[in-house]
Amino acid sequence: MATEKLATEKLATEKFDVLVIGGGNAGIGAALPARKANLSVAMVESRDLGGTCPNRGCTPKKVLVAAGHALHEIERAHIHGIAVDKPRLDWAALIDREKDLIKDVPNNTERGLVRRGVEIVRGEASFVAPNAARIGDRTIEAKTIVIATGSKPRPLPIPGADKMITSDEMLSERELPASVVFVGGGVIALEFGHIYARAGARVTILEVLPQLLPSLDADAVKQLEAESERIGITIHTGVKVKAIQGEAGTLRVIFEQDGRELTATGARVVNGAGRIANVDTLNLDAANIVHDRGRIALDPFLRSTSNPNVYVCGDAVPSTPQLSPIATYEGDIVGRNIVDGVKHRPDYASVPTSVYTVPALASVGLTESAARDKGFKIGVHTTDMLSWFSARTYAETVAWSKIIVDEATDKVLGAHFVGHSGEELINLFALAMGLGITATQIRDKVYAYPTFASDIKNLI
Ligand SMILES: Cc1cc2nc3c(=O)[nH]c(=O)nc-3n(C[C@H](O)[C@H](O)[C@H](O)COP(=O)(O)OP(=O)(O)OC[C@H]3O[C@@H](n4cnc5c(N)ncnc54)[C@H](O)[C@@H]3O)c2cc1C
């Protein structure tokens, strides 16, 4: 490795080819191509290596979602002729199982990175110059610096906002709260709301906009909203949250809806208002990085427009989807731009995503309204599959899809599912969209029967 350490004095500057700030999906995605090309790489991490997704995000959350699925199955067991007593979820045991599943992530990640020759630096980095950052009493200079510092919950300017908890606490508290109010009706509110409601908590979701999950297809969201209400979740949209009062255990959220002042009560109130780029403590000005309200100005290659030696990837880029595979993808693009010269740019056209409610809402490509706004002449194929054998066999409570096809090219522009294993089927549509496979080709293919996937030929 070409690491050149000037370790003659305590505050000596260490030199690397690449300094990666943040050891999550994006940082690792950037570090690996650089190491493969034999560049020297230092990675700074202030918390757990592996980052949010495996330690505090996707993976531990999915453990809770899986329990939600088990409860959903039990709820409908009688339809299959199975008699089951009312289930009792031991919340503490579930949290222990979740923690146990992920406990080795930071150490295993560190071992993998060290084996590949990445130098791990513990601490919080901030810039001291366009090509240098300080971490405690160490200063590291690098030809290229990658900002992969992820995101954090959006602070809300509401009196009493400090009484709110975040997903970190929801994934750690061993006591199931009797009631929970989510301020903000995004992905985190819906996913955790479904888990809590199925576990027996009273759940309220307050959303400022007229629609929950505003970036998703309106009809798909309506289906999910109906299913959420069916399992007992109370939803208020178009509200203005004015204050959070009281103490943990007996909190009150004061909000306004249609000119009336209302109160939602909960043992816990959760910040469900989305996440913002985590870049405000990096001292960006010292590195001549142009930024505005947490958004770093980037060129199409994920490079700072004002400092060509600095790249940004993952959740730290606020304008692209905050998803784990996107963080890895952007990190890899940054790594390859460092190695190959600046020529790779990300393409987000057919990125599938799911809201892991039970059942899930899955989506890829354009919503119906976005397709119309872009001027496409579209065929919209909306199907309620509840009466189909496949849905009835599994006693689904919702099985719905909308596929949007461009009439000019016969290509799929968007696909949206609620239920029916949509979180798996959506990847077939992403593949079709990515490879330019037409609706006719999808219809003409033979699929294993009986599977949910075999239904897709009848959905377009
Ligand atoms: C509850 C929850 C559930 C989620 N579920 C899903 C899901 O189901 N599917 C999905 O695709 N995505 C999901 N996400 C989003 C996903 O976790 C993120 O998109 C992804 O982890 C972003 O990766 P990243 O590398 O950009 O950031 P991170 O993984 O957050 O990594 C950034 C790292 O940088 C470190 N860091 C920050 N500042 C500094 C500094 N100054 N110095 C040193 N280190 C620093 C942090 O400690 C952190 O480890 C979820 C997120 C949350 C919160």
Side-chain angles (χ1 to χ4, degrees):
M1 227 203 298
T3 310
E4 185 190 321
K5 281 194 183 183
L6 304 175
T8 48
E9 56 183 84
K10 196 171 173 236
L11 292 178
T13 298
E14 302 165 53
K15 293 192 178 180
F16 287 83
D17 293 319
V18 182
L19 171 64
V20 179
I21 308 178
N25 285 62
I28 295 169
L32 296 185
R35 275 304 301 136
K36 239 186 188 160
N38 223 23
L39 301 179
S40 59
V41 178
M43 175 182 282
V44 196
E45 173 54 58
S46 57
R47 208 170 161 184
D48 303 316
L49 277 166
T52 303
C53 180
N55 291 303
R56 301 177 294 281
C58 334
T59 313
K61 175 204 70 192
K62 202 72 196 283
V63 178
L64 307 195
V65 172
H69 274 280
L71 289 168
H72 188 43
E73 292 299 322
I74 293 167
E75 177 201 339
R76 294 166 300 136
H78 67 280
I79 300 171
H80 304 286
I82 305 167
V84 190
D85 286 342
K86 191 174 159 38
R88 196 186 57 79
L89 170 60
D90 180 343
W91 189 260
L94 176 61
I95 295 293
D96 290 348
R97 168 172 145 75
E98 172 239 304
K99 293 289 179 215
D100 185 59
L101 241 109
I102 58 170
K103 68 178 186 308
D104 297 327
V105 168
N107 285 344
N108 287 348
T109 309
E110 175 157 9
R111 261 199 299 280
L113 289 165
V114 168
R115 198 174 56 240
R116 288 172 171 86
V118 176
E119 167 118 354
I120 303 296
V121 181
R122 297 283 172 184
E124 180 140 355
S126 61
F127 285 93
V128 288
N131 271 73
R134 182 159 302 144
I135 306 102
D137 59 7
R138 293 171 76 170
T139 301
I140 294 183
E141 200 178 290
K143 292 180 194 140
T144 309
I145 300 186
V146 179
I147 298 175
T149 47
S151 59
K152 57 184 177 186
R154 180 187 304 283
L156 288 171
I158 303 170
D162 56 321
K163 301 176 197 289
M164 287 191 289
I165 59 167
T166 68
S167 52
D168 282 6
E169 286 88 6
M170 287 193 286
L171 290 167
S172 301
E173 290 186 354
R174 295 177 79 250
E175 196 180 329
L176 175 69
S179 49
V180 185
V181 181
F182 290 89
V183 177
V187 176
I188 284 180
L190 265 302
E191 291 181 342
F192 282 92
H194 269 234
I195 296 161
Y196 279 141
R198 291 194 180 283
R202 180 167 55 80
V203 175
T204 308
I205 299 178
L206 306 175
E207 166 59 45
V208 63
L209 295 172
Q211 179 188 314
L212 299 175
L213 302 163
S215 63
L216 295 176
D217 187 85
D219 291 331
V221 173
K222 270 191 205 130
Q223 293 287 326
L224 181 60
E225 212 173 303
E227 180 66 3
S228 305
E229 286 172 341
R230 188 189 72 79
I231 63 167
I233 297 177
T234 304
I235 297 167
H236 295 275
T237 53
V239 308
K240 183 174 186 320
V241 174
K242 302 190 75 173
I244 300 162
Q245 300 169 346
E247 301 305 324
T250 54
L251 289 160
R252 294 181 306 281
V253 183
I254 318 296
F255 64 100
E256 226 176 69
Q257 189 179 30
D258 301 329
R260 286 179 308 151
E261 190 165 289
L262 301 167
T263 302
T265 55
R268 288 277 179 276
V269 177
V270 181
N271 182 344
R275 295 171 70 86
I276 57 165
N278 182 22
V279 294
D280 54 332
T281 58
L282 287 174
N283 197 17
L284 297 170
D285 296 332
N288 187 31
I289 297 169
V290 168
H291 61 102
D292 179 30
R293 281 164 289 173
R295 302 174 93 85
I296 296 176
L298 296 178
D299 70 12
F301 307 97
L302 300 173
R303 210 167 43 144
S304 157
T305 52
S306 52
N307 180 343
N309 301 318
V310 169
Y311 285 88
V312 190
C313 48
D315 279 12
V317 181
S319 53
T320 61
Q322 290 176 323
L323 294 171
S324 148
I326 292 285
T328 302
Y329 171 68
E330 288 179 346
D332 179 65
I333 291 216
V334 164
R336 287 190 290 129
N337 277 337
I338 295 169
V339 171
D340 301 341
V342 188
K343 59 182 184 192
H344 306 289
R345 54 165 88 193
D347 169 15
Y348 304 98
S350 53
V351 174
T353 170
S354 278
V355 181
Y356 295 99
T357 43
V358 184
L361 187 163
S363 172
V364 63
L366 298 178
T367 63
E368 182 180 342
S369 66
R372 291 192 195 288
D373 289 350
K374 283 179 183 286
F376 286 105
K377 194 156 180 284
I378 53 175
V380 179
H381 308 265
T382 305
T383 313
D384 190 334
M385 293 170 272
L386 266 190
S387 62
W388 293 17
F389 275 130
S390 50
R392 283 164 60 201
T393 302
Y394 283 90
E396 285 195 281
T397 50
V398 53
W400 180 94
S401 71
K402 181 194 277 187
I403 315 296
I404 299 153
V405 179
D406 179 9
E407 290 193 342
T409 61
D410 195 31
K411 297 225 172 108
V412 177
L413 294 174
H416 310 274
F417 280 87
V418 184
H420 220 58
S421 285
E423 69 270 44
E424 302 294 343
L425 301 191
I426 208 66
N427 294 303
L428 293 177
F429 283 93
L431 208 62
M433 289 171 67
L435 300 178
I437 294 168
T438 62
T440 307
Q441 286 172 315
I442 293 174
R443 266 195 305 270
D444 287 349
K445 190 86 192 78
V446 175
Y447 300 91
Y449 180 86
T451 59
F452 286 159
S454 66
D455 284 339
I456 67 172
K457 59 196 294 157
N458 300 314
L459 300 179
I460 38 179

